[in-house]
Amino acid sequence: MQSSRRRRREEQERAERAGFERMEYVSKWFVRLPYDALLIVKENGVVIGKIRKFDVDWNGSADLYLFLRDDEEFGYGKYTIAASYDGAFRGKHLRVEVGKPKQWRRGNTRAETRAFLAAESVKRERQEHYERNPVGAMVNLLVEHGVLSGSGPTEASAKQGRIPEEQLRTMAEALRGADLEDFRRCCDYLRDALPPDLLEEVFAEYRRLETLTP
């Protein structure tokens, strides 16, 4: 038993030392770059993003490993990073594993990474659309999921008598945040497009949210 505990403790200590050495190596590689260097970050051979060195340098800190780990765009992953300055790529490319394989979001193959990036792009476009036009974005979402008439398996949705909770909340929030003209237009559209039970569910949720407004 003691031997087993000692072995696990030694393995943990080795892992901690390896993690520290990895972070130290990344920091040394990064410090040697000129201030205006551009870093091209790839995962599984796919470009994930670009970083300017001066965007990482902050208050005298130059910890690229922690920047990658904590940045919303990058986070955990197995990266290959090339540095470009003076008009060309310079030196040996950096290879760094941020976090553990089970934490990597973009998979382990080029196809998985491309699929992840495509899904993220769609998500960002939808969010931008929602911020510009919440009612239009909400209608598009329902069309895509076949809730509106003529857009897919509407009959199945009507039989279930339920709109998925996330879609229902999105619709009700959009109604609540719309100006008067958009609100009327959207209500007319939904009245003509949604089965009665689903329409009633939408406005029940809308009324519930309205009662929560301070």
Side-chain angles (χ1 to χ4, degrees):
M1 181 66 71
Q2 288 182 344
S3 175
S4 177
R5 284 200 299 267
R6 184 173 62 252
R7 192 161 50 247
R8 286 197 298 271
R9 186 174 63 252
E10 291 173 350
E11 290 174 355
Q12 182 177 356
E13 290 173 352
R14 278 198 299 271
E16 291 174 353
R17 285 197 302 272
F20 177 78
E21 291 171 357
R22 182 169 63 247
M23 292 175 63
E24 189 176 35
Y25 172 76
V26 173
S27 296
K28 288 180 178 178
W29 181 91
F30 183 72
V31 166
R32 288 196 294 267
L33 299 175
Y35 184 71
D36 60 346
L38 175 66
L39 308 182
I40 312 299
V41 184
K42 292 184 178 182
E43 189 168 5
N44 296 317
V46 181
V47 175
I48 301 299
K50 300 177 182 180
I51 306 171
R52 291 283 181 184
K53 184 182 180 184
F54 52 71
D55 289 332
V56 181
D57 289 328
W58 185 70
N59 286 346
S61 174
D63 200 326
L64 177 61
Y65 185 94
L66 294 182
F67 177 87
L68 290 169
R69 188 195 67 183
D70 298 335
D71 186 80
E72 183 177 343
E73 181 180 2
F74 298 101
Y76 298 118
K78 184 179 182 180
Y79 299 119
T80 301
I81 305 177
S84 175
Y85 53 93
D86 295 336
F89 290 103
R90 306 284 179 174
K92 183 179 179 181
H93 293 180
L94 174 71
R95 299 183 186 278
V96 55
E97 295 181 2
V98 181
K100 299 178 181 179
K102 64 181 181 180
Q103 295 173 305
W104 299 346
R105 298 179 298 163
R106 303 177 185 89
N108 296 294
T109 67
R110 181 186 294 264
E112 290 174 345
T113 302
R114 289 190 184 280
F116 177 90
L117 294 179
E120 288 293 298
S121 177
V122 170
K123 188 184 300 182
R124 284 194 301 270
E125 290 176 1
R126 284 179 174 170
Q127 182 60 32
E128 291 171 359
H129 183 200
Y130 182 80
E131 291 172 357
R132 293 193 308 268
N133 179 10
V135 174
M138 174 269 295
V139 170
N140 286 349
L141 180 66
L142 293 173
V143 168
E144 290 178 11
H145 287 81
V147 175
L148 295 182
S149 298
S151 61
T154 306
E155 292 183 2
S157 297
K159 290 176 182 177
Q160 294 168 5
R162 292 289 299 174
I163 297 176
E165 183 177 353
E166 182 179 349
Q167 297 173 37
L168 181 63
R169 176 61 60 85
T170 300
M171 170 178 282
E173 289 282 7
L175 285 172
R176 190 168 62 153
D179 59 32
L180 183 59
E181 181 180 353
D182 276 348
F183 181 86
R184 289 173 176 167
R185 177 171 56 83
C186 188
C187 288
D188 289 341
Y189 189 97
L190 297 176
R191 183 192 61 218
D192 295 336
L194 278 182
D197 53 351
L198 297 184
L199 180 62
E200 177 58 31
E201 187 175 1
V202 170
F203 283 98
E205 175 68 7
Y206 169 75
R207 288 191 294 270
R208 187 187 72 80
L209 291 175
E210 280 295 287
T211 63
L212 300 178
T213 304

